[in-house]
Amino acid sequence: MSDTTANPLLTTADGKPLKAALARAERRARYRAFLLVLPLLAFILITFVTPIAQMLHQSVYNEGFTMHTEIGSGERTPIMVNIKAWFDENPAGTEPGEAAFAALAEDMKTLRELRAAGSAGTRINYERSGTRSMFTKAARNANKIEPPFKEAFVDLDEDWTDPALWRVMRDASTPYTMNFYLAAIDLTKSPDGDIESVAENRQVYVTLFQRTLFLSVLITFLTFALGYPVAHLLATLPLRHSNLLMILVLLPFWTSLLVRTTSWMVLLQSQGVINDALVGVGLLGDGNRLQMMYNQIGTVVAMTHILLPFMVLPLYSVMRPINPSYVRAARSLGATSWTAFWRIYFPQTVAGIGAGALLVFILSVGYYITPALVGGASGQLISNLIAFHMQNSLNWSLAAALAALLLGGVLILYWLYDRLVGIDNLKLG
Amino acid sequence: MNTEISTNQATASFRFSLSFFALLSAFVVLVVMNARESGLLEAATAMLVTSAVAAGVAFVLVSVFDTKRTAVIVLGAMGLVLGLFAGGVGMAVAGAVMAVLIAHFVFWIHFRHYRDGLPNYLSSNEILWHYTYLVICAVIFVFLIAPILVIIPLSFNVEPYFTFTEKMLAFDPEGYSTRWYDLLLTFGMLEPDAPRDMSWWSDAWANANWINAAKNSVIIGFFATILATTLGTIAALGLSRSEMPYRRAIMAILISPMIVPIIIVATGLFFFYSKVGIHTWGIPYFGVVLAHATLGIPFVIITVTATLVGFDHSLTRAAASLGADPVQTFRRVQMPLILPGVVSGALFAFVTSFDEVVVVLFIGALDEQTIPRQMWNGIREQISPAILSVATILVVISILLLTTVELLRRRSERLRGVTPQ
Amino acid sequence: MKLKSALMATALSGVAFGAQAQEVTVMSWGGAYTKSQVEAYHKPFTAETGIKVNSVDADNPATPIKAQVEAGNVSIDVADVEFSDAVRLCDEGLIEPIDVSMLPAAPDGTPATEDFIDGALQDCAVGSIVWSTIYAYNSSNVDGTPTTIGDFFDTEKFPGKRGVRKSAKATLEMALMADGVPAGEVYDLLDSDEGVDRAFAVLDRIKGDIVWWEAGAQPPQLLADGEVVMSTAYNGRIFNAAVAENQPLEVVWDGQILDFDLFVVPKGAPNKENAMEFIAFSTDTQRLADQASWISYGPARKSSGELVGKFMDGETEMGPHMPTAAANLENALVNNFEFWVDKDADLNERFNAWLAN
């Protein structure tokens, strides 16, 4: 002590300034800590962040109308180059004249040689349905198309002069586009380039997003209504008993999602256990069994069951440390049991409710398996539509745009969760 | 009712208890008669008679026997005999259990044992609410656990239905069979009907669909777990150091695979893998293993960092000052502490992989059939009870895993000196 | 490390990764139909050539083909697809052209090009069967006897749930026919917005009672379990459930929609040579006739017709159960592949919007 106070500058044993030495030690410790995390961070960047970035890229990039990739050899040939040049020379809204159709005729010949009319047409068809066949037909007849080109095309299909089609072709002639995002919220562009709603009988995504939100809120509320009493019971029982009952909460948590979904199918189907029991007891006639599956009821019931542990566990971890003497004190001061609960106990559990509700909500907006199996048509969520576009309609850019919107929503909630609850406080049983 | 029950009254009121039993039994009869679609008059008579009988029995029970124990034994014996008389051993057991429960219940209500253990300032309404609350909790617990348990007996159904047949409800052995478990073995075999010798078993091992699926699931799960646990544990060691820079942001990134909807992960991987051409590398399962490891990592991080909460870093410094090199320090000081967390995390990671179907559906090769994928196909096409027998096996496995993790958690708490209050 | 590599080795030895030199992967529709193909094509093919056939299933094999080819990850060698899908895939260059001269002639020497029924040979596809979408009912759950396509959409006359395929194709045509549109005018009408609106209006009548199915194996199961009382279905599936499994299922042929299934080879198939060999083998006169004794789908070769005999149970005559039997063709619609090639995406988009609202 006396040594160092005598010295104006603190030094280490080997004479270096203590401050600098400490800073260096600190830096090295930080460096070491970071090195430990680095391999995993790199792994996650490659296997998780990059694929998602790739998906986001796919949502704004589609080269179906600009590039043909030969299957097998992977050889890439630009297509629709002539019409692209015409678009570059003429501003949007120009009436396509003979020059435009001549360029189109030239491009059709390339499409014919490359057998790429189908995929080029499909790209246009995404935004203007019914146009795919115009391309395949024109490419089939590419060698027979002769001047005057405009008339030749109109002979093939009079829709070739449709300004809406030309608007779509103009947009598609550059691979970068926001149009898939517009489509993902039921919007489209008019021939003049204004943004407008799609026809009412084709609107589906906004409805699906709304339904996903509504069902997620409902499920979150149900898990809260069911989870709160259970968590409270677990938290107030002596540890010996509550540990046993906790198993009943944790077992579903550890059981395969598919197993639990199967169980609900067995319980809910019209010849299933619940309907049989109700018919057996006489509450239902055999003729009017309840339809509880292949609709929203199935989705809500099964998902509530599956997500309930995610509500109970955070609630429990908040409730356990609450000191029971506060409630007792309130009672002794004359509060009724309801007042004591509502004014004293409940406010102390709000943090747990927030954590559980956010977690359940985040997990339920992205659910896929359970709605796909028990949801029928009315119980489908947005994830099911993403899967549909990935696997059935193969409109991958639209699937990516829908997924990006969903991802955006989830990330906002995740950020909120981190701010309010803290990721460190995530517990697993 | 409020006025006649004073708080410390230990004596019983016949007026309350007898009318309670009468009403309760009348209600039970009402439900039963409704189920049988009986006439109004018939139902009313039955209700009256039963409530009278119930009240009478209760009265006799509490006035004749001076202790609960004798009442329970006598009534239990009566139930046993009656059941035996009515039919079979099963009924006798059921009768005895019912009678014992009834005797307990009568004494419990009449002598107000329901107030035992509760604060004596509670009003009778609050007592009623307390028991209603317990019943509600019980119902929720049934909701949680019944769906998992209900498939177990159904998987032994001899009929290809998903509901309890009459034979099953009567505990008739003929109503049960293990045929669906047998189907798991034989489905996909070349010669399922051959005698069950060595070659039959090797046929099953090589060709049975479910066995192949199980092999694939285990292989993928094994490598994904190794990868996730190794990387995750090392990273958790770094993350739990106070010096770690950007800790919160990095933690958020590492946990995000658990939060991001699986369909988005699968979609992204589909694009990414086809871009880099992972299938041309010729490494079987590679893509799926990487994806499953990614999904398992958050669990490892969470469980391992949890065991390091409150870890006293002066212990490592002490070890270092005593001459241990960093590897030794890790092995002898930190490892024993975090081991339970590592094992739990590994189990979580394995279960995550073992249960994952969406990524496998999107990026798995056609021959990479896993158990969940096979189940998914089976459920969508036809849920035969064979699916239920797979489900039952999976439930048993999850019970084992859950037990392991619980034991580990307690061991970890003991080791770290964290005693739950 | 040693343990790990040892485990890897044992693990890998247990599972087939296509280590065999010769194999071919065939994708089909699952259930009874795949089984008929395994018995009639795959087993004899392996016995004769030694090439192992891997059988995999999909709800509709046309969709995984496109996904696989576009992702550059093709593992299917042969796929069994519907007519309109075969034409569309060929248009988009996703499947290999098939040289029809490799197909064997009929036993009497008629060349394959003349032996196959009209339309069964395409640039990139070879037809194997004629099948149809019909509707069937469970006779133990229905009071009375449904006889017309209109009965399917009439839940007042025949109360109960209906199973319908979750796709626009066949569903819209059936709805129009149920509304009294003659078979010959269905596609003209569907080409207009009014026609499509009219079809959806008919579907609206039963929308609340529909259980949607996707895999062909589902309808017989839904019917047998009593989950639905009537369902649209592929006719062969119902036949097999009724005859081979003794389920009380009846087919209503009124308003049936005929279609082909064809074999195609995806671009970049790993075993293209074997795939072509498999197709040539499987579509010869005898194999096509054999397949018809496992399931009630008609062979695509004229010369196979007379070889078709009884079902594999040895009792049931196949003739009357074929979609092409004269009695079944009274009010039948032949699927217009050109229409669906053009309109599939468009109408499915509307179909999805209708489903969601």
Side-chain angles (χ1 to χ4, degrees):
Chain A
M1 253 317 186
S2 59
D3 241 12
T4 48
T5 43
N7 224 326
L9 192 68
L10 300 177
T11 57
T12 55
D14 48 1
K16 287 175 187 147
L18 184 58
K19 203 173 162 193
L22 277 174
R24 213 174 68 219
E26 174 102 341
R27 220 168 33 240
R28 280 178 53 190
R30 286 168 63 118
Y31 190 62
R32 259 207 309 272
F34 189 72
L35 265 188
L36 285 171
V37 181
L38 192 62
L40 181 61
L41 200 58
F43 182 80
I44 292 279
L45 283 177
I46 294 171
T47 62
F48 183 73
V49 179
T50 321
I52 287 181
Q54 181 95 35
M55 182 195 86
L56 294 177
H57 181 247
Q58 180 88 33
S59 70
V60 292
Y61 185 83
N62 189 310
E63 55 183 29
F65 201 65
T66 55
M67 192 67 78
H68 172 74
T69 308
E70 185 66 33
I71 292 153
S73 69
E75 195 185 319
R76 289 162 64 82
T77 327
I79 53 172
M80 311 312 285
V81 282
N82 297 305
I83 196 74
K84 168 90 172 100
W86 185 84
F87 283 132
D88 288 343
E89 282 161 21
N90 297 280
T94 313
E95 177 98 4
E98 189 59 19
F101 282 99
L104 198 57
E106 199 55 39
D107 286 331
M108 285 299 167
K109 284 188 188 132
T110 326
L111 289 188
R112 182 188 154 90
E113 278 161 31
L114 295 167
R115 295 180 60 145
S119 48
T122 303
R123 168 68 187 88
I124 303 302
N125 203 64
Y126 288 149
E127 291 185 53
R128 184 96 196 137
S129 36
T131 52
R132 186 185 165 282
S133 55
M134 293 164 63
F135 281 85
T136 48
K137 202 166 164 191
R140 252 197 311 272
N141 297 308
N143 291 342
K144 288 176 229 148
I145 298 179
E146 281 169 6
F149 291 110
K150 185 167 179 177
E151 270 169 47
F153 272 96
V154 172
D155 275 352
L156 285 171
D157 196 316
E158 55 194 32
D159 279 350
W160 275 113
T161 49
D162 182 359
L165 171 68
W166 283 83
R167 196 277 302 162
V168 175
M169 288 205 293
R170 177 182 288 274
D171 281 3
S173 65
T174 42
Y176 284 97
T177 173
M178 290 303 282
N179 291 2
F180 291 103
Y181 280 94
L182 291 181
I185 46 175
D186 289 335
L187 296 177
T188 185
K189 279 190 193 163
S190 70
D192 317 328
D194 300 329
I195 290 168
E196 59 183 25
S197 295
V198 299
E200 200 167 329
N201 59 18
R202 290 179 193 280
Q203 293 178 2
V204 49
Y205 306 112
V206 172
T207 318
L208 253 302
F209 274 114
Q210 282 169 348
R211 181 193 293 164
T212 306
L213 284 185
F214 168 72
L215 289 185
S216 300
V217 169
L218 179 64
I219 289 161
T220 308
F221 175 76
L222 287 176
T223 54
F224 163 69
L226 297 180
Y228 199 89
V230 165
H232 180 255
L233 182 74
L234 288 172
T236 46
L237 281 180
L239 210 57
R240 228 162 6 103
H241 301 283
S242 74
N243 266 342
L244 265 180
L245 283 179
M246 197 54 148
I247 302 268
L248 300 187
V249 178
L250 289 176
L251 183 58
F253 188 67
W254 276 89
T255 309
S256 158
L257 179 65
L258 280 165
V259 168
R260 283 180 284 168
T261 307
T262 315
S263 307
W264 279 109
M265 295 178 82
V266 166
L267 288 170
L268 295 179
Q269 57 180 320
S270 63
Q271 305 292 323
V273 174
I274 292 179
N275 265 313
D276 271 5
L278 291 177
V279 170
V281 175
L283 290 174
L284 270 187
D286 202 14
N288 40 14
R289 286 166 175 262
L290 299 175
Q291 181 74 22
M292 295 180 286
M293 201 170 78
Y294 303 129
N295 54 24
Q296 290 187 2
I297 302 174
T299 303
V300 170
V301 171
M303 280 178 65
T304 302
H305 175 250
I306 290 167
L307 293 170
L308 189 49
F310 290 97
M311 179 63 91
V312 174
L313 296 177
L315 279 176
Y316 173 79
S317 65
V318 166
M319 286 173 173
R320 188 90 228 177
I322 292 178
N323 193 334
S325 57
Y326 294 138
V327 170
R328 263 184 243 135
R331 292 304 308 269
S332 75
L333 291 171
T336 62
S337 56
W338 168 251
T339 315
F341 168 76
W342 182 243
R343 302 280 298 278
I344 306 297
Y345 191 83
F346 186 79
Q348 300 183 69
T349 61
V350 169
I353 298 173
L358 264 175
L359 191 59
V360 169
F361 190 80
I362 290 175
L363 293 176
S364 58
V365 288
Y367 244 59
Y368 168 65
I369 297 281
T370 308
L373 291 176
V374 299
S378 67
Q380 302 288 297
L381 303 182
I382 195 73
S383 285
N384 301 91
L385 220 62
I386 297 174
F388 172 80
H389 284 304
M390 283 303 292
Q391 298 189 300
N392 290 44
S393 80
L394 304 175
N395 189 348
W396 290 343
S397 288
L398 180 58
L402 288 167
L405 292 178
L406 177 63
L407 179 69
V410 167
L411 287 184
I412 290 172
L413 291 168
Y414 183 44
W415 174 80
L416 208 63
Y417 183 90
D418 189 29
R419 289 302 298 270
L420 297 180
V421 188
I423 293 158
D424 314 27
N425 296 329
L426 213 56
K427 285 203 182 66
L428 305 163
Chain B
M1 209 162 76
N2 265 347
T3 48
E4 62 180 315
I5 300 169
S6 64
T7 45
N8 270 330
Q9 191 182 7
T11 52
S13 148
F14 278 113
R15 216 172 106 198
F16 166 68
S17 60
L18 293 191
S19 47
F20 177 81
F21 294 125
L23 277 175
L24 186 69
S25 49
F27 179 73
V28 171
V29 170
L30 182 70
V31 171
V32 173
M33 295 308 267
N34 180 44
R36 296 198 174 162
E37 292 169 9
S38 326
L40 196 64
L41 190 69
E42 199 186 342
T45 328
M47 278 164 69
L48 274 178
V49 173
T50 326
S51 18
V53 171
V57 168
F59 179 74
V60 170
L61 216 55
V62 290
S63 1
V64 171
F65 300 106
D66 41 352
T67 63
K68 189 162 106 178
R69 177 183 298 195
T70 45
V72 165
I73 292 173
V74 171
L75 205 67
M78 279 167 67
L80 188 80
V81 173
L82 266 177
L84 209 57
F85 210 61
V89 181
M91 283 298 280
V93 173
V97 170
M98 282 289 286
V100 166
L101 286 178
I102 288 174
H104 269 289
F105 187 64
V106 167
F107 272 79
W108 191 70
I109 292 286
H110 185 72
F111 291 105
R112 307 202 168 168
H113 292 308
Y114 49 80
R115 278 188 169 273
D116 297 354
L118 292 177
N120 55 10
Y121 52 76
L122 295 183
S123 71
S124 51
N125 271 338
E126 284 169 349
I127 300 251
L128 185 65
W129 165 242
H130 177 75
Y131 283 102
T132 317
Y133 161 71
L134 286 187
V135 170
I136 292 174
C137 284
V139 170
I140 299 171
F141 277 118
V142 169
F143 171 75
L144 265 171
I145 209 75
I148 294 172
L149 298 183
V150 79
I151 53 172
I152 296 177
L154 286 177
S155 71
F156 291 98
N157 195 347
V158 78
E159 306 285 346
Y161 305 129
F162 304 110
T163 181
F164 291 95
T165 58
E166 295 200 348
K167 280 183 176 171
M168 292 183 83
L169 292 174
F171 292 106
D172 184 345
E174 277 182 25
Y176 294 87
S177 88
T178 55
R179 60 184 282 210
W180 306 110
Y181 290 86
D182 202 56
L183 189 67
L184 292 189
L185 274 179
T186 52
F187 186 65
M189 275 176 66
L190 297 177
E191 307 270 345
D193 301 324
R196 303 204 166 184
D197 51 17
M198 269 312 283
S199 66
W200 186 90
W201 283 104
S202 66
D203 182 10
W205 179 248
N207 296 312
N209 290 7
W210 283 103
I211 291 183
N212 274 327
K215 283 192 280 194
N216 286 340
S217 280
V218 169
I219 295 169
I220 292 170
F222 177 79
F223 287 107
T225 307
I226 297 275
L227 205 54
T229 315
T230 320
L231 291 173
T233 305
I234 297 171
L237 288 174
L239 283 172
S240 63
R241 293 189 179 201
S242 52
E243 307 92 359
M244 180 66 204
Y246 310 111
R247 185 169 178 282
R248 198 163 179 152
I250 290 179
M251 189 87 168
I253 295 175
L254 298 183
I255 302 292
S256 56
M258 195 171 106
I259 297 293
V260 171
I262 190 74
I263 194 86
I264 294 180
V265 179
T267 304
L269 284 171
F270 178 84
F271 295 136
F272 179 60
Y273 283 175
S274 55
K275 184 94 177 171
V276 300
I278 203 164
H279 51 274
T280 57
W281 301 358
I283 313 173
Y285 308 120
F286 189 58
V288 180
V289 166
L290 287 188
H292 282 185
T294 310
L295 295 174
I297 279 166
F299 295 97
V300 179
I301 300 265
I302 290 171
T303 50
V304 179
T305 45
T307 56
L308 285 167
V309 167
F311 175 73
D312 186 354
H313 282 279
S314 57
L315 286 178
T316 50
R317 267 173 246 134
S321 74
L322 291 171
D325 62 39
V327 178
Q328 272 178 321
T329 316
F330 174 72
R331 253 193 35 222
R332 307 284 290 272
V333 180
Q334 280 177 310
M335 196 61 190
L337 278 171
I338 63 166
L339 195 59
V342 174
V343 177
S344 306
L347 288 177
F348 265 112
F350 184 78
V351 167
T352 308
S353 161
F354 205 72
D355 189 26
E356 203 290 320
V357 58
V358 183
V359 168
V360 180
L361 282 174
F362 270 61
I363 61 168
L366 288 170
D367 54 3
E368 288 170 7
Q369 286 289 346
T370 61
I371 288 184
R373 190 177 186 177
Q374 191 105 336
M375 279 185 83
W376 164 265
N377 289 335
I379 296 169
R380 288 188 61 242
E381 286 202 358
Q382 42 201 126
I383 37 174
S384 87
I387 295 283
L388 298 189
S389 52
V390 180
T392 304
I393 294 171
L394 292 183
V395 168
V396 172
I397 293 175
S398 43
I399 291 176
L400 293 178
L401 289 176
L402 171 60
T403 320
T404 319
V405 170
E406 274 299 291
L407 292 176
L408 284 169
R409 192 174 58 85
R410 286 180 201 173
R411 182 185 151 79
S412 157
E413 278 170 356
R414 215 172 47 239
L415 273 179
R416 289 183 296 141
V418 187
T419 39
Q421 356 99 19
Chain C
M1 248 26 249
K2 221 176 197 172
L3 175 72
K4 195 170 156 184
S5 54
L7 270 168
M8 186 79 175
T10 42
L12 299 192
S13 66
V15 188
F17 291 120
Q20 285 95 340
Q22 289 293 317
E23 62 174 5
V24 62
T25 302
V26 181
M27 179 172 261
S28 185
W29 297 69
Y33 181 46
T34 294
K35 184 159 191 288
S36 76
Q37 294 180 319
V38 170
E39 297 295 336
Y41 311 149
H42 302 190
K43 285 184 179 173
F45 180 69
T46 306
E48 191 165 306
T49 61
I51 297 170
K52 184 174 177 249
V53 182
N54 303 319
S55 171
V56 288
D57 297 324
D59 291 348
N60 179 357
T63 47
I65 290 188
K66 188 164 177 199
Q68 286 198 355
V69 175
E70 299 229 323
N73 178 16
V74 180
S75 56
I76 311 166
D77 298 310
V78 179
D80 181 303
V81 302
E82 289 173 30
F83 205 152
S84 59
D85 287 327
V87 174
R88 205 186 53 205
L89 290 169
C90 193
D91 264 1
E92 297 183 10
L94 295 170
I95 50 179
E96 297 280 356
I98 293 179
D99 176 12
V100 291
S101 67
M102 70 164 193
L103 299 173
D108 64 0
T110 317
T113 42
E114 284 166 38
D115 193 25
F116 276 87
I117 53 182
D118 284 348
L121 289 184
Q122 294 288 320
D123 291 351
C124 320
V126 178
S128 64
I129 57 157
V130 177
W131 57 278
S132 84
T133 305
I134 44 81
Y135 84 88
Y137 63 95
N138 185 331
S139 57
S140 55
N141 292 341
V142 174
D143 295 328
T145 313
T147 49
T148 67
I149 184 72
D151 292 340
F152 186 80
F153 292 87
D154 191 345
T155 43
E156 304 226 324
K157 202 163 150 198
F158 297 101
K161 300 281 171 200
R162 304 291 198 264
V164 180
R165 184 178 174 192
K166 199 173 175 181
S167 119
K169 185 149 79 180
T171 308
L172 296 180
E173 289 104 308
M174 278 191 165
L176 283 185
M177 283 194 283
D179 212 24
V181 177
E185 295 168 21
V186 166
Y187 286 107
D188 286 343
L189 200 54
L190 266 189
D191 212 9
S192 66
D193 276 349
E194 301 80 58
V196 177
D197 290 343
R198 184 167 161 192
F200 279 117
V202 177
L203 283 169
D204 272 329
R205 286 186 217 153
I206 60 165
K207 191 176 183 183
D209 287 311
I210 295 179
V211 173
W212 299 99
W213 58 267
E214 288 173 84
Q218 284 172 299
Q221 183 79 18
L222 290 169
L223 286 166
D225 286 349
E227 287 296 314
V228 298
V229 298
M230 297 182 195
S231 180
T232 66
Y234 307 137
N235 72 297
R237 310 293 183 122
I238 300 299
F239 170 83
N240 274 44
V243 175
E245 295 166 28
N246 289 316
Q247 301 282 0
L249 307 185
E250 300 286 343
V251 170
V252 177
W253 291 101
D254 185 62
Q256 67 154 320
I257 301 171
L258 292 153
D259 201 346
F260 283 117
D261 260 15
L262 304 93
F263 283 127
V264 299
V265 178
K267 269 269 169 66
N271 305 294
K272 191 180 152 194
E273 300 294 309
N274 294 348
M276 294 298 175
E277 198 176 341
F278 175 83
I279 291 177
F281 177 88
S282 301
T283 56
D284 78 2
T285 304
Q286 187 58 46
R287 303 304 150 212
L288 289 185
D290 286 351
Q291 118 101 22
S293 67
W294 290 92
I295 195 162
S296 60
Y297 292 140
R301 270 186 192 249
K302 293 170 198 153
S303 59
S304 303
E306 56 212 42
L307 297 175
V308 174
K310 290 180 175 161
F311 187 56
M312 50 159 175
D313 63 359
E315 294 167 8
T316 319
E317 279 294 342
M318 294 305 291
H321 296 283
M322 291 294 181
T324 45
N328 299 340
L329 286 172
E330 276 169 22
N331 180 23
L333 177 69
V334 178
N335 184 300
N336 182 338
F337 75 90
E338 282 175 322
F339 178 84
W340 282 110
V341 167
D342 288 351
K343 291 282 197 162
D344 199 35
D346 181 31
L347 288 178
N348 268 316
E349 193 182 306
R350 272 207 61 181
F351 182 75
N352 279 327
W354 174 80
L355 268 185
N357 288 303

